[in-house]
């Protein structure tokens, strides 16, 4: 009905206005599996949305990299006062990831077990835990782990093996505005 559309329009306008008033950060995230553009958007006092888009080298460092997009909704659960200047934050949150990436694929034919490398589509649930430091000037540094559990569909469908490489810490540097 018309009243529902008006009400939804007002709600969307308020959310858009609130979203533009929140602090943001943009930068890069570098880890063992690749390089990503990194964007953070504060949602509420102790919550932020993080989005990444980048190259995923995974197991196929010698061949063509894949591409992966990830969205994480983080909750800041502690703000320790370890230094007199700047601020610290410990955070964790769930998310999802999808992409076209390389992965190790294992399958059996009639005679033997075959290990091969395969590019294919990936969909995974992600979990992230990290620590960040915000300087007094607009620079933010962070370290986090982000394992993925999901599916890889290429020549054959199977478990996304490279998702556990997310247990190796990655580093991020972001400009905060």
């Amino acid at each position: 009905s018309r009243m529902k559309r008006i009400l939804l329009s007002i709600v969307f306008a308020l959310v858009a206005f609130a979203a533009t008033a929140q602090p943001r950060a943009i930068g890069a995230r570098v880890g063992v599996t690749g390089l990503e553009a990194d964007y953070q958007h504060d949602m509420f006092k102790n919550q932020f949305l993080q989005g990444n888009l980048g190259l995923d080298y995974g197991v196929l460092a010698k061949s063509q990299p894949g591409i992966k997009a990830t969205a994480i909704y983080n909750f800041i659960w502690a703000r320790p006062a370890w230094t007199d200047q700047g601020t610290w934050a410990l955070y964790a949150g769930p998310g999802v990831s999808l992409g076209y990436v390389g992965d190790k694929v294992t399958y059996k034919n009639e005679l033997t077990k075959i290990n091969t490398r395969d590019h294919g589509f990936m969909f995974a649930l992600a979990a992230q835990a990290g620590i960040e430091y915000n300087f007094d000037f607009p620079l933010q540094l962070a370290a986090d782990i982000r394992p993925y559990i999901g599916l890889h569909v290429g020549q054959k469908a199977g478990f996304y093996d490279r998702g556990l490489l997310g247990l190796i810490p990655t580093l991020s540097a972001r400009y905060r505005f």
Side-chain angles (χ1 to χ4, degrees):
S1 75
R2 183 179 174 148
M3 187 60 160
K4 282 184 182 179
R5 283 185 277 182
I6 292 171
L7 187 58
L8 281 174
S9 297
I10 292 170
V11 169
F12 284 129
L14 289 173
V15 169
F17 176 77
T20 59
Q22 302 298 320
R24 296 175 287 273
I26 191 163
R29 184 173 184 267
V30 180
V32 70
T33 61
L35 172 66
E36 299 173 323
D38 192 2
Y39 176 76
Q40 275 189 4
H41 189 94
D42 290 358
M43 300 301 287
F44 300 103
K45 183 179 178 184
N46 288 319
Q47 300 170 25
F48 64 92
L49 183 63
Q50 183 172 358
N52 300 102
L53 176 65
L55 298 176
D56 183 289
Y57 290 98
V59 72
L60 301 174
K62 295 180 181 177
S63 68
Q64 182 181 14
I67 187 164
K68 180 170 55 177
T70 304
I72 305 280
Y73 197 90
N74 287 297
F75 299 89
I76 297 173
W77 50 273
R79 291 190 186 271
W82 290 331
T83 55
D84 292 335
Q85 296 178 339
T87 58
W88 291 90
L90 301 172
Y91 58 90
V96 294
S97 185
L98 57 99
Y100 185 77
V101 300
D103 198 13
K104 180 179 78 172
V105 177
T106 304
Y107 62 93
K108 294 180 182 178
N109 68 9
E110 297 168 1
L111 302 174
T112 184
K113 186 168 136 178
I114 297 172
N115 290 319
T116 186
R117 295 178 177 172
D118 181 28
H119 268 85
F121 291 97
M122 175 273 293
F123 173 78
L125 297 177
Q128 178 171 279
I131 183 170
E132 70 181 21
Y133 180 73
N134 290 292
F135 289 88
D136 288 339
F137 50 94
L139 175 64
Q140 180 184 79
L141 298 177
D144 62 60
I145 59 171
R146 186 190 292 169
Y148 302 91
I149 297 175
L151 299 173
H152 180 267
V153 180
Q155 294 175 8
K156 301 281 184 179
F159 180 69
Y160 176 52
D161 288 335
R162 296 300 119 200
L164 298 180
L165 286 174
L167 292 170
I168 299 171
T170 61
L171 301 175
S172 299
R174 294 180 280 267
Y175 170 73
R176 194 149 177 85
F177 57 100

